Amino acid sequence: MIPRRNQRGFSLVETLFALLLFSLSIMALMRYQLVLAEGFQQQWQQRSAWRNARQLLQGNPLEGWQAQVQQKDGPEGCPLLIAKTVSPSGRRAELVQLRCPVVGN
């Protein structure tokens, strides 16, 4: 039998190399997706900390959070409220609110 010189297809080495590149690409994309998910999770936790601090200033703290409100004297006798919260995962937020009474004419 005479071997053909114009054979079509890929050799075993080419196929294995392509499979290696494909596997490495998939692994890199999976790692990237994991890093993105962790970033979104941290951002969500920080937003939750700010939201809880706002609710704390409104008098509605969330359960399971460390929360503290301090009141200090502000300018012109207006009370200055400082709300500090710490999430169960350790995210911190602090909001400061100056509450001055509305004076009518």
Side-chain angles (χ1 to χ4, degrees):
M1 198 171 177
I2 301 172
R4 291 183 168 182
R5 292 186 182 202
N6 293 333
Q7 291 182 350
R8 294 188 178 200
F10 298 103
S11 69
L12 180 60
V13 173
E14 292 171 329
T15 304
L16 290 176
F17 185 71
L19 185 59
L20 175 68
L21 285 178
F22 179 74
S23 298
L24 290 175
S25 299
I26 292 295
M27 286 175 33
L29 287 173
M30 289 174 60
R31 177 67 181 146
Y32 179 67
Q33 190 273 337
L34 181 63
V35 169
L36 279 179
E38 288 174 357
F40 285 128
Q41 180 70 15
Q42 290 175 357
Q43 184 181 29
W44 180 81
Q45 290 173 358
Q46 188 64 50
R47 286 184 180 183
S48 294
W50 289 114
R51 189 177 307 115
N52 189 37
R54 185 187 73 228
Q55 289 181 342
L56 184 62
L57 285 174
Q58 295 172 349
N60 303 318
L62 294 177
E63 295 290 325
W65 288 64
Q66 295 177 13
Q68 175 185 11
V69 176
Q70 296 175 346
Q71 183 171 341
K72 296 182 178 180
D73 292 332
E76 299 182 21
C78 298
L80 184 68
L81 299 176
I82 303 169
K84 296 179 182 181
T85 60
V86 180
S87 73
S89 63
R91 289 285 173 188
R92 298 176 180 273
E94 180 177 320
L95 287 180
V96 178
Q97 184 179 51
L98 184 64
R99 290 189 179 171
C100 293
V102 178
V103 179
N105 291 333

